[in-house]
Amino acid sequence: MEMNKPGLVFKNLIQPAAFLLLAFLLWYLLTQKAELPLAWEHFWSERHSRAHELLALALLLMPLNWLAESEKWRGLLLPYYHFGRFQSIKAVCAGVYLSLFTPNRIGEYGGRVLFLPAEHRWKSVFATLAGTLAQWIYILSLGLVGMAKHLRHIQSIDDTLYLGMLVLAAATALILSWAYFNMKSWTGLTRKLPFQHYIKRFVKEIEVLSRFSIRDLRKTLAWAGLRFVIYATQYVLVLYYFKLDIPVFEAFYGVFALFLVQTSIPLPPISGLLARGNLALIIWGSYGLDPISCLSASFLLWIINLILPSLFGILVLKSVPERFFIQKRNDANT
């Protein structure tokens, strides 16, 4: 089936435009932000003195990280639309690319829906939302545990505050878990919103949350847990690559605390990199890691987990317009 002219133009332009945009932003960061060239120079000048197996392992974990993310999303959609793992990975990586330029990684939603038929795109949005909530259960609860451990290490906080933070972490896990496994109540709340006539379509679509089975939600929660562990492990490996010298459990607690703080920054990953580097300095500087190594670790992890998948996401974007425009033409003909 031939594609219409607008679709052909879009197909031919989207890939080079995406490459140019990413190249420009990387150039800007590496030339206009003084800290990042220093981080790159630090990495390059001392690469021969590093334990490269740590970096290699962090790289090898990257595909598993995004496989876990794609399965977390795909599992909730399979009852409605059957598609393979490779298509799911393509959609997720396209979303990773688009998320580089959007606050709180909103672009992930847009990138994924491009790979689905029109009738399932709202389901994709809510499946992504459910997966995000599953991820937040780990980030907030374990992040509070990590922050309590970290504060106890650097400030010797008293037992009352320490235990209070651990109780808050447990309460957070319980409340978010209840909200996660009781999404049916969300749909009931939307029916009580004002101006129902204008949001009728949204209310109808959000009801898909109440149809996610407990079994599928448990699987999604397990994939979210695996992804959290993988990402934390990658960070610890990169920190040890830059010669952080602390016990492994303390390193993981620091990573958990850092994840908690980073999620509060509503910036696109590509512009929030330096802010995240400064936050890393607050955590790892208390363990004696120098500022340039803190920024270098954040920069290297950013390259591994966002830029490399984004390059694959750009490559697969070329397949999106043809599917999208053919779908629209078929819809018009039926």
Side-chain angles (χ1 to χ4, degrees):
M1 179 182 297
E2 279 190 23
M3 186 168 51
N4 54 26
K5 188 174 181 180
L8 182 61
V9 172
F10 188 56
K11 178 179 181 180
N12 290 334
L13 290 180
I14 186 172
Q15 210 172 51
F19 270 118
L20 287 173
L21 181 58
L22 182 60
F24 171 77
L25 287 171
L26 288 173
W27 169 84
Y28 176 79
L29 287 173
L30 290 173
T31 58
Q32 306 302 313
K33 302 293 185 181
E35 298 91 340
L36 292 185
L38 289 175
W40 175 252
E41 183 180 345
H42 176 67
F43 165 73
W44 192 251
S45 63
E46 299 193 17
R47 68 191 187 280
H48 298 299
S49 64
R50 306 292 173 176
H52 292 291
E53 63 273 11
L54 298 174
L55 181 58
L57 184 54
L59 279 167
L60 289 173
L61 286 174
M62 183 268 288
L64 185 57
N65 180 19
W66 290 109
L67 173 64
E69 175 62 26
S70 67
E71 287 297 298
K72 187 177 74 172
W73 171 68
R74 174 175 170 266
L76 293 176
L77 289 175
L78 281 178
Y80 308 99
Y81 175 63
H82 188 78
F83 60 111
R85 286 188 175 87
F86 187 61
Q87 184 181 353
S88 175
I89 291 171
K90 289 197 298 182
V92 166
C93 288
V96 172
Y97 169 74
L98 294 177
S99 74
L100 290 174
F101 314 102
T102 56
N104 287 332
R105 306 185 66 172
I106 295 173
E108 286 188 0
Y109 294 81
R112 296 179 188 191
V113 300
L114 292 174
F115 287 81
L116 297 175
E119 65 269 22
H120 298 299
R121 287 172 187 161
W122 269 107
K123 296 183 183 70
S124 168
V125 170
F126 290 118
T128 304
L129 179 64
T132 300
L133 178 57
Q135 206 70 62
W136 271 76
I137 293 173
Y138 295 100
I139 292 172
L140 294 183
S141 57
L142 292 179
L144 285 167
V145 172
M147 185 62 72
K149 295 285 188 180
H150 178 67
L151 292 176
R152 194 176 180 90
H153 165 75
I154 64 170
Q155 295 184 357
S156 300
I157 59 174
D158 59 64
D159 290 341
T160 302
L161 179 57
Y162 176 70
L163 291 174
M165 293 185 71
L166 295 183
V167 169
L168 179 60
T172 299
L174 289 173
I175 292 170
L176 290 179
S177 297
W178 181 90
Y180 177 71
F181 286 108
N182 290 274
M183 292 185 189
K184 192 172 183 177
S185 60
W186 298 19
T187 61
L189 289 174
T190 58
R191 297 191 190 98
K192 298 178 182 179
L193 293 174
F195 309 110
Q196 287 288 314
H197 176 73
Y198 298 101
I199 62 172
K200 181 167 59 175
R201 172 71 185 277
F202 173 77
V203 172
K204 179 182 177 181
E205 296 291 351
I206 201 175
E207 288 182 354
V208 72
L209 290 173
S210 64
R211 296 198 293 269
F212 292 147
S213 71
I214 296 298
R215 178 173 176 269
D216 289 336
L217 288 173
R218 285 174 179 165
K219 285 184 178 180
T220 296
L221 189 62
W223 283 113
L226 176 61
R227 185 168 183 240
F228 184 86
V229 170
I230 291 170
Y231 194 30
T233 301
Q234 285 179 297
Y235 206 150
V236 170
L237 289 169
V238 171
L239 288 168
Y240 282 164
Y241 176 80
F242 284 103
K243 299 182 179 179
L244 179 68
D245 187 21
I246 61 174
V248 66
F249 283 112
E250 287 189 28
F252 272 101
Y253 289 140
V255 169
F256 295 168
L258 188 58
F259 286 174
L260 174 66
V261 179
Q262 284 180 348
T263 55
S264 65
I265 302 178
L267 292 173
I270 204 160
S271 63
L273 176 60
L274 293 179
R276 288 172 170 83
N278 291 330
L279 290 173
L281 177 59
I282 294 173
I283 299 291
W284 307 120
S286 64
Y287 291 102
L289 196 64
D290 62 278
I292 193 64
S293 292
C294 291
L295 181 59
S296 297
S298 298
F299 183 50
L300 188 55
L301 196 66
W302 182 75
I303 293 290
I304 292 171
N305 273 335
L306 291 178
I307 297 302
L308 294 182
S310 292
L311 291 173
F312 179 71
I314 292 173
L315 292 175
V316 301
L317 276 176
K318 194 172 183 179
S319 67
V320 172
E322 182 174 355
R323 296 168 58 91
F324 178 76
F325 282 99
I326 288 176
Q327 180 68 38
K328 289 186 72 174
R329 179 177 288 182
N330 286 343
D331 291 345
N333 291 338
T334 54

